[in-house]
Amino acid sequence: GAVVSQHPSWVICKSGTSVKIECRSLDFQATTMFWYRQFPKQSLMLMATSNEGSKATYEQGVEKDKFLINHASLTLSTLTVTSAHPEDSSFYICSARPVTGYSGELFFGEGSRLTVL
Amino acid sequence: AQRVTQPEKLLSVFKGAPVELKCNYSYSGSPELFWYVQYSRQRLQLLLRHISRESIKGFTADLNKGETSFHLKKPFAQEEDSAMYYCALPDSNYQLIWGAGTKLIIKP
């Protein structure tokens, strides 16, 4: 099946620094990738929709200057948490929708756990 | 408004007992519904979709348009079924609308 690789799987950083998380579709092309945030024991919260070659669409309440998303190719999207603070600590998950296939079928990365000290 | 509701945050049943995870939806048009599963320390993955009418790991789900439901069922629960289950529905922009999820615990 289709594989999505997310890197790093966990990262610890100091407050005020920036962290970049990569999401790659390994064996398929994805025009659309999604970035989620998951709090403990809670459902997925969609942060933004990333479309290849265009600006990301952010959900209400998500700061676009805080969470920079770049989707430079059909197989790579990146999420950069800028000037991270402890409240940004969370589990970030990406998913990718193949160019072909059912519209609702998404393939997920393993997630990246960010801890900001 | 388009919405997916999973009324149970937690469902606990004994091994061998039947399982039903509830999902109700609100959607104008012909819906396309999915169940995703997240096992402990694993990524989210598609379990089944109503359009294919398949049975995966013994689970089935029937779309009931009259009751606007897509409940997930399994006649005999197994311990390895313990996981988080999410019901989802694509909106008009093909973004998935997620239910809040149900944590299923299978007791030995």
Side-chain angles (χ1 to χ4, degrees):
Chain A
V3 178
V4 173
S5 173
Q6 206 172 322
H7 178 80
S9 55
W10 59 270
V11 57
I12 301 173
C13 70
K14 291 183 178 180
S15 186
T17 60
S18 294
V19 174
K20 181 187 284 188
I21 301 170
E22 291 187 347
C23 180
R24 292 182 185 272
S25 56
L26 297 185
D27 50 2
F28 65 97
Q29 292 183 327
T31 50
T32 304
M33 292 185 174
F34 302 91
W35 286 96
Y36 300 87
R37 190 169 175 176
Q38 188 176 35
F39 294 99
K41 300 182 180 179
Q42 294 191 29
S43 185
L44 299 168
M45 184 191 82
L46 179 65
M47 298 175 65
T49 302
S50 168
N51 292 298
E52 186 266 337
S54 63
K55 290 183 179 180
T57 303
Y58 290 82
E59 296 299 302
Q60 193 172 11
V62 178
E63 299 175 58
K64 59 183 67 177
D65 295 330
K66 174 76 169 175
F67 299 99
L68 299 178
I69 291 173
N70 183 278
H71 194 155
S73 76
L74 287 171
T75 59
L76 173 64
S77 176
T78 61
L79 167 68
T80 301
V81 183
T82 62
S83 187
H85 290 283
E87 57 266 29
D88 299 325
S89 298
S90 192
F91 195 57
Y92 294 88
I93 302 172
C94 75
S95 68
R97 184 167 68 215
V99 173
T100 57
Y102 290 104
S103 61
E105 183 170 10
L106 300 179
F107 297 92
F108 286 81
E110 291 183 323
S112 300
R113 184 163 301 283
L114 170 64
T115 301
V116 184
L117 302 176
Chain B
Q2 297 154 352
R3 189 183 302 122
V4 176
T5 304
Q6 291 179 252
E8 303 143 326
K9 278 192 173 181
L10 174 67
L11 182 63
S12 181
V13 302
F14 284 102
K15 177 183 173 182
V19 171
E20 181 178 70
L21 292 95
K22 292 183 168 51
C23 172
N24 289 89
Y25 66 90
S26 173
Y27 187 78
S28 56
S30 187
E32 187 181 349
L33 282 137
F34 298 79
W35 277 99
Y36 280 81
V37 60
Q38 187 175 26
Y39 299 103
S40 178
R41 298 180 184 178
Q42 293 187 30
R43 69 186 74 198
L44 263 167
Q45 56 187 291
L46 179 66
L47 180 62
L48 57 80
R49 47 187 169 233
H50 93 270
I51 198 168
S52 58
R53 300 187 63 80
E54 54 196 347
S55 172
I56 303 294
K57 299 185 179 183
F59 284 97
T60 58
D62 290 317
L63 179 62
N64 186 322
K65 291 185 178 181
E67 295 182 357
T68 60
S69 68
F70 188 57
H71 302 328
L72 184 68
K73 299 178 184 179
K74 184 169 182 176
F76 307 103
Q78 298 171 306
E79 289 187 65
E80 53 265 33
D81 295 327
S82 295
M84 278 293 295
Y85 291 81
Y86 295 93
C87 184
L89 162 75
D91 66 13
S92 54
N93 295 319
Y94 298 106
Q95 290 182 359
L96 282 180
I97 302 169
W98 295 89
T102 299
K103 184 172 184 177
L104 177 63
I105 296 175
I106 307 301
K107 296 178 285 188

